[in-house]
Amino acid sequence: MGDVCAVIAAGGTGSRFGNPGGKQLVSVAGKPMMTWSIMAFDRSAYVGHIVVVCPPRRRAEMRTLAIDPFEIHTPISFADSGETRQDSTRAAVEAVPEGFRYVAIHDGARPLITTEAINRAISVLLDTSAAAGVVCGQPAIDTLKIVEGSRICETPPRSMYWAAQTPQIFGIDAIRQAHAQALADGFVGTDDSSLVERMGASVLCVQSPRDNLKVTVPEDLRPVTAILLGRMSDAECAQDTGMFPSLG
C-alpha cells in the first residue's frame, strides 16, 4: 500500500457552473467528471487510499454514480465538506486514515489529470527532504499586468510567475499543522499551499501538463471532453498495434 492518501475535493455548489447540484457528477466523455480524477489516482502505486470530500447528503449519490459502476481498487472513504473549500480540505485532511505520510489534494473538477503527472509530482516530494510540499502547475506564458481599476500600474517579470493547479501534495503533519494555524489565526488562503507557505515551509512547483484544465463554467466542458475523447481514441489505436500507453 502506498504512503499517499489522495483527497478529491467535490464539495462545490456549482454556482459559477450554473448547476444547483454541482458539476462533479456531470457526464464528461461517458463518465462523471470526478470519476476521471478518482481513476487517475487509483492507478498510482503511490496512492493507498482516497478520501472524497462532499456534502453528507450526496455521499450515496456520488458512490452510486461515480464510484461503484467503475473498476476502482483503492479503498475510498468520505469526509464532510464545509462552508468554504478551506473548511472542506481541512476536514478531509483530518479524515486521512492513520499510517499515511502524505496527502495529495486534487480538485474533482480537474478530470484531465494523469497518473503520470501524479507520480512525477509525488516522486519530487519524496526525493526532496527539505520540502514540505509540491504544487503542480505551469509557468505563466501570458504577459501579466498589475491593474487598479482599469489602469495598468506595473508589468512584472513573467519568468517569476506560475499558474497553480492541483494536485498539491504535502507531508501529512505539515498540512495538518498549516490548517490548524490558519484556523487559529482566522487566515483564509487561496489554496492549500498558501497555508503551508505562511508557516515558512518550503513548497516546490512541479510542471504538469498544460491541459490539466479546471471545469469552472459550462464552456469549459467542450475542450475537456475533446481531450478525453482524443486520449481514448489514441488508446484504441495503440491497442490495434499492440502498444498500451496509460490513459492515466
Side-chain angles (χ1 to χ4, degrees):
M1 185 175 68
D3 281 342
V4 181
C5 177
V7 166
I8 306 297
T13 60
S15 57
R16 285 178 290 179
F17 189 78
N19 183 350
K23 58 196 171 189
Q24 294 82 8
L25 295 177
V26 170
S27 180
V28 184
K31 293 183 177 68
M33 187 185 306
M34 63 181 286
T35 302
W36 290 104
S37 295
I38 292 172
M39 292 177 66
F41 283 94
D42 178 59
R43 285 189 287 265
S44 173
Y46 289 111
V47 175
H49 193 89
I50 297 172
V51 174
V52 174
V53 56
C54 68
R57 67 183 183 279
R58 303 202 70 192
R59 284 189 184 188
E61 180 185 17
M62 288 192 172
R63 182 171 286 282
T64 299
L65 298 178
I67 298 171
D68 289 347
F70 305 98
E71 191 174 350
I72 297 170
H73 303 286
T74 307
I76 295 177
S77 59
F78 287 85
D80 293 343
S81 58
E83 292 187 8
T84 67
R85 187 183 187 282
Q86 188 166 310
D87 292 334
S88 296
T89 56
R90 181 175 65 251
V93 166
E94 291 302 322
V96 170
E98 291 294 325
F100 289 94
R101 299 170 57 199
Y102 304 94
V103 60
I105 302 171
H106 185 65
D107 296 323
R110 288 189 189 271
L112 295 174
I113 190 62
T114 66
T115 303
E116 180 183 6
I118 292 167
N119 288 344
R120 185 186 310 118
I122 292 173
S123 67
V124 169
L125 181 57
L126 296 183
D127 292 341
T128 313
S129 59
V134 298
V135 171
C136 288
Q138 278 285 326
I141 58 173
D142 295 322
T143 297
L144 304 174
K145 304 287 186 180
I146 297 176
V147 179
E148 289 184 1
S150 59
R151 177 179 170 273
I152 297 173
C153 301
E154 185 181 349
T155 303
R158 184 175 58 196
S159 61
M160 297 180 63
Y161 289 85
W162 281 58
Q165 303 172 349
T166 64
Q168 299 188 356
I169 307 163
F170 309 96
I172 188 68
D173 293 336
I175 190 62
R176 281 177 172 166
Q177 180 183 351
H179 268 288
Q181 192 63 54
L183 182 63
D185 297 342
F187 174 80
V188 178
T190 54
D191 64 359
D192 294 283
S193 178
S194 65
L195 309 186
V196 178
E197 295 161 31
R198 71 186 290 266
M199 297 196 309
S202 175
V203 180
L204 307 179
C205 277
V206 177
Q207 192 162 337
S208 61
R210 194 167 294 281
D211 65 6
N212 183 22
L213 306 175
K214 184 177 182 181
V215 175
T216 303
V217 294
E219 300 93 287
D220 297 332
L221 287 175
R222 183 174 294 177
V224 168
T225 301
I227 292 169
L228 285 170
L229 291 175
R231 290 179 184 176
M232 295 163 67
S233 178
D234 289 345
E236 290 175 1
C237 291
Q239 186 174 15
D240 291 340
T241 62
M243 299 173 62
F244 301 93
S246 172
L247 281 178

